[in-house]
Amino acid sequence: MAVPGDPPNGAPEGTGGDDDEFRADEYRSVVFDEDFVRAARIQEYSAQERMGEHARAVRSRSIWSTGSASGSRGGAPGRGARQGRLLVLFIAMAFAAAVYMGLRNPYVPPPDGVAQPLTSTVVPLAPGTPVPGGRPADLFARSPAADYRIGAVGINMPAVRRTPHFTDGQVAIALSIAKDYLVQSSLDPDVLAGTASRPVRVLLDPDQLAQFDRSMASPSGDGRHAATGWLVRFDPATAVLADPRVRVSGTLGVEEAAPDVLEVTTDHTFVYAVRPATGSPAVAEGASLFTVRRELRLRFDRDDLGARRAELASAYVMAGPQDCSADPAAGFRPLLAGAGPTTVGPAASDPYASGHPRRAAGLCGVLAAPATPQAPPVSPGP
């Protein structure tokens, strides 16, 4: 007879059927009856129990965890764990960099207070001899300005050297701003003609703008509000430029005035060819020279360097030939070709002198007659 587990068609021929029948009878004795099966208790193990005794049911959220729950059994680190470790590493590197930069470049506190007002002195220089006239080229050639450079080229930059609290780059920026100020306030044709002041205004510290605007609108010789303390300006009713090629010579210097302040000093002579405002430009022989010596002191804090602006701290200006009775605060009024001496001052002042010239003792000085260049001797012909 067939038993469970036998082939459908019975045992193949040639096999030990007796033995199979014996084994079937043997296993038949251990088959559970129906009552035993119904009484049996069925238990379903939980996921944690199936995973083992030491497995975690919840994944760790710690950034130092090596991964998910499977990580405890050699699984790969989780994406969140890797991102957490990278974030901590980045913060540590940023903190270390900040400490290093703080030690290398110690913080310097910003300056206290606001920019101080400009103090200026403008001294007219009266001629001691009649004012020569002629063509601009001839006048320049016979004056000490014969070898001066033309325009901004004559404002030479000194060698740049760092200071204890300012880098080479910051010193170079301060010198560059100072040169820009000289160019705009001494060479711009519209500024010289009195028709513009904005090119100078945009270079000033905001704390000085109110003082500058008042000086332009209501000039005064009170030492604070002279327009000619800020810039070079001719009275348009008196004289205009006869030649736009202004001759320039002078020096720039820079030093650290305080741990947070750079100071640039400028000392330049500007020589202008002017003519009468009412004359015809075609009459070139009516030109004369007008000389302005400007000594400026400009200050820069770190905000000024970043914004490319300056604080004009002081200005000492000598200009002539002028009549001492004329007030030069609003604009210069040159004595033109053919004008004779008007006054005799206590001492002569030479605006062409190198170094620090002798300053006028009073409100007016005498324009010294500078020595003209000597022509080279002519060797006799054969």
Side-chain angles (χ1 to χ4, degrees), residues 45-69:
Y45 289 100
S46 67
Q48 180 176 358
E49 292 171 331
R50 290 196 301 271
M51 292 176 65
E53 181 181 18
H54 301 290
R56 283 182 154 185
V58 180
R59 178 182 298 177
S60 173
R61 295 280 184 183
S62 171
I63 62 173
W64 305 110
S65 174
T66 58
S68 61

Side-chain angles (χ1 to χ4, degrees), residues 118 120 210-211 214-216 218-227 230 329:
L118 165 69
S120 62
Q211 182 188 10
R214 179 179 170 184
S215 301
M216 298 300 110
S218 302
S220 171
D222 60 358
R224 294 292 181 92
H225 301 97
W230 300 93

Side-chain angles (χ1 to χ4, degrees), residues 191-197 215-216 219 227-228 231-235 330-332:
V191 172
L192 297 176
T195 59
S197 61
S215 301
M216 298 300 110
T228 47
L231 47 81
V232 177
R233 167 186 287 182
F234 295 107
D235 178 9
F332 297 126

